[in-house]
Amino acid sequence: MTTKGWPVAVKDVLGRFGEDVAAAHLEGEGLILVARNWRCREGEIDIVAVDGDVLVFCEVKTRSSLAFGSPAEAVSASKLRRLKVLAARWLADSPRVWIDLRFDVVSVLRTPNGLVVDHLRAVL
């Protein structure tokens, strides 16, 4: 499989699949998606959503087994620090002023028996 002439790694396909599952899950919980894969020079925010009056910055992690731990365990302290920096950049570009912010992680585990989705709220 290729995209724009470059080979696509299996992990990239799994990651995109997990982001699609996470987005559908969040919408099912009543959140309104504002952005997906928002990028700036410092990195990328997987999902930005609104939950009532709260702006939610969401990191998505997907795995196909627990061999290396749960997907949520892959969200390191350094990744959370970077997510805060990215959120500040997103807010600087936003025309709206947000008072309430939240940082969530959506863990997607794809097993032979189906999907396990875990939405961890307010991880920071």
Side-chain angles (χ1 to χ4, degrees), residues 30-112:
L31 281 75
I32 298 167
L33 301 187
V34 175
R36 286 187 63 182
N37 305 113
W38 181 87
R39 296 175 193 268
C40 67
R41 62 188 167 117
E42 284 88 3
E44 175 184 291
I45 300 173
D46 294 331
I47 296 174
V48 181
V50 175
D51 187 6
D53 291 333
V54 179
L55 185 66
V56 180
F57 297 96
C58 188
E59 176 69 15
V60 179
K61 286 296 176 191
T62 308
R63 292 214 168 142
S64 56
S65 80
L66 295 173
F68 296 103
S70 75
E73 290 175 319
V75 182
S76 65
S78 64
K79 178 64 179 177
L80 292 174
R81 281 192 301 273
R82 183 169 43 220
L83 186 57
K84 285 166 114 176
V85 169
L86 293 168
R89 293 272 298 185
W90 192 93
L91 289 165
D93 288 347
S94 175
R96 179 173 170 183
V97 175
W98 294 90
I99 304 300
D100 294 319
L101 307 175
R102 191 174 77 217
F103 295 88
D104 293 0
V105 171
V106 176
S107 166
V108 178
L109 179 61
R110 186 176 183 183
T111 71

